Amino acid sequence: MMAGEQKASLPNLFQDKSRPCLSSWPEEVDELYVVSRFFVEEWRKFVRRPTRCSPVSSVGNRDLLCPHGGLMFTFASMTKEDSKLIALIWPSEWEAIQKLFVVDHTIRVLRRQPEEASPDSPLYVTEPELCSDCREGLLCQQQRDLREYAQATIYVRKVVDNTKVMKDSAPELNVSSSEVEEEREEARPEGEQDPDFNQANSNPKRRKVSHPNYGSYQKQGIRRSTRHRKVRGEKALLVSANQTLKDLKIQIMHAFSVAPFDQNLSIEGTTLTEDSATLGSLGVTPESVVFLKVTGQEGGGVPPGIPIKPSQTHPAVHDHLILPLSSRISCRLGRKA
């Protein structure tokens, strides 16, 4: 009964239709309200499955404010990188929300037209106003977390002649699969379906949190709709910020059977060459895509003398050295003799 009433009161918010946008401000209104994206997604879960999910009683806008009560986002950031953390609400929808939920803090964006400004240059202000000090602290913390992480996922994509390889590759060693992850999510209880949410709360080494509300931003930041979509031939590796580029190349060698000296790695157009440098210092951040181009030997391959570690994925592979072709032929001829 409650879920049906809420859905009928907020049909467009539930279906994500006719949503306002800050970058193209709707002409018919001069104010828009802001709630957290997490609140909207949790509410949608409840409406879809009211018998399995707990009802949402509070808007919870305090997670978008600093301890001083100031807003943590600028107008510009809410149109770009921080747009995934917020949801914009029409004034008519806000009236319904105030009746259906407990509103702890009202956050809105106002469009004003100063007398001296031209009609094409409106002024946008927020209530409450931005807390500059806390905003700066949040940005610094985010940058530190991008350089200080443990057991985070990155993606390695093999290219040939600057063309992405889209064919099926060999079974992956020590890598995770997004397809398997999605299958596991379907079998998990509703509250445990987001692995990024669970890891952020269960693994203290995953991220270092200093700002009181920063955990809330991280929790809302990676949702299923923004999760990386793997392509065929791409592999996911677990890495840490303090491991070196050489360590990453060894992981890639076991995943792609390409020798470290045949690996030409790049990220966002920048070639990674310093083997002793850490991944954090090279700008390799969680969810990054590293491009692998094979040089030297045609088709790559593990060179003679490189040990292959045993793997549960390949039980037939044992600890041994891959011998040169001439040595293998000699061994066979010796056995026949």
Side-chain angles (χ1 to χ4, degrees):
M1 184 67 180
M2 180 188 299
E5 178 185 355
Q6 293 178 358
K7 181 179 179 181
S9 300
L10 301 166
N12 289 340
L13 181 61
F14 175 74
Q15 298 176 8
D16 199 20
K17 291 183 178 180
S18 303
R19 307 315 307 155
C21 180
L22 292 179
S23 58
S24 56
W25 188 280
E27 294 295 331
E28 60 270 26
V29 296
D30 289 324
E31 65 177 7
L32 293 172
Y33 292 84
V34 178
V35 297
S36 70
R37 177 77 64 175
F38 182 70
F39 157 74
V40 174
E41 293 185 353
E42 291 299 305
W43 170 71
R44 286 172 180 165
K45 287 181 182 179
F46 165 70
V47 173
R48 291 190 188 101
R49 300 176 181 178
T51 59
R52 295 182 55 185
C53 303
S54 301
V56 178
S57 59
S58 175
V59 172
N61 270 353
R62 65 181 179 277
D63 291 335
L64 303 180
L65 305 178
C66 74
H68 311 110
L71 189 62
M72 294 295 296
F73 312 116
T74 64
F75 178 85
S77 71
M78 287 190 290
T79 65
K80 297 177 182 179
E81 66 271 13
D82 290 330
S83 61
K84 62 181 179 294
L85 301 178
I86 66 169
L88 296 175
I89 304 297
W90 294 102
S92 58
E93 293 176 330
W94 182 250
E95 293 179 2
I97 287 177
Q98 288 180 305
K99 297 177 182 178
L100 296 172
F101 306 97
V102 176
V103 178
D104 53 353
H105 297 280
T106 299
I107 302 175
R108 60 177 181 165
V109 183
L110 304 173
R111 179 179 62 175
R112 295 176 178 172
Q113 190 65 48
E115 296 180 358
E116 64 277 6
S118 64
D120 296 332
S121 303
L123 176 66
Y124 298 99
V125 297
T126 61
E127 293 182 357
E129 296 181 350
L130 171 73
C131 182
S132 301
D133 293 340
C134 291
R135 172 67 180 176
E136 183 178 354
L138 174 63
L139 293 177
C140 293
Q141 182 67 45
Q142 289 176 336
Q143 291 300 317
R144 283 196 298 269
D145 288 346
L146 289 177
R147 300 292 183 267
E148 302 174 8
Y149 56 87
Q151 294 299 295
T153 301
I154 66 169
Y155 301 90
V156 179
R157 190 175 302 173
K158 189 176 180 182
V159 297
V160 177
D161 295 331
N162 296 324
T163 302
K164 298 174 185 177
V165 175
M166 303 298 290
K167 62 183 180 179
D168 286 323
S169 56
E172 302 180 7
L173 297 176
N174 300 326
V175 295
S176 62
S177 169
S178 61
E179 290 80 4
V180 175
E181 181 183 29
E182 294 295 336
E183 292 176 1
R184 289 176 179 173
E185 283 185 353
E186 295 300 326
R188 290 176 183 169
E190 185 68 24
E192 301 177 2
Q193 285 190 359
D194 194 329
D196 298 312
F197 175 88
N198 290 333
Q199 280 188 327
N201 287 280
S202 62
N203 188 355
K205 295 183 179 179
R206 177 85 178 202
R207 294 181 174 91
K208 296 181 180 179
V209 179
S210 63
H211 191 281
N213 291 342
Y214 186 62
S216 301
Y217 307 139
Q218 294 291 72
K219 177 176 64 176
Q220 301 172 36
I222 304 177
R223 306 300 302 167
R224 188 176 306 180
S225 58
T226 59
R227 189 173 301 144
H228 175 83
R229 298 289 182 180
K230 287 179 61 181
V231 301
R232 299 175 68 182
E234 180 179 277
K235 304 197 178 190
L237 301 178
L238 291 177
V239 299
S240 300
N242 59 357
Q243 74 181 69
T244 63
L245 180 62
K246 181 179 179 180
D247 297 330
L248 175 61
K249 287 184 175 181
I250 293 175
Q251 285 182 265
I252 294 175
M253 178 186 69
H254 291 294
F256 288 89
S257 296
V258 177
F261 51 77
D262 283 334
Q263 298 175 20
N264 187 342
L265 304 180
S266 62
I267 181 172
E268 297 181 353
T270 302
T271 303
L272 308 179
T273 57
E274 190 175 350
D275 287 345
S276 60
T278 63
L279 299 185
S281 65
L282 293 174
V284 179
T285 58
E287 304 295 316
S288 295
V289 177
V290 177
F291 291 94
L292 164 65
K293 186 174 182 180
V294 179
T295 59
Q297 298 180 358
E298 184 176 355
V302 180
I306 298 296
I308 301 296
K309 295 182 179 180
S311 171
Q312 295 178 354
T313 309
H314 296 277
V317 178
H318 303 284
D319 281 326
H320 67 282
L321 298 179
I322 297 180
L323 299 177
L325 179 61
S326 58
S327 300
R328 297 200 300 269
I329 295 176
S330 300
C331 291
R332 292 178 181 177
L333 293 177
R335 290 177 183 175
K336 291 182 179 180

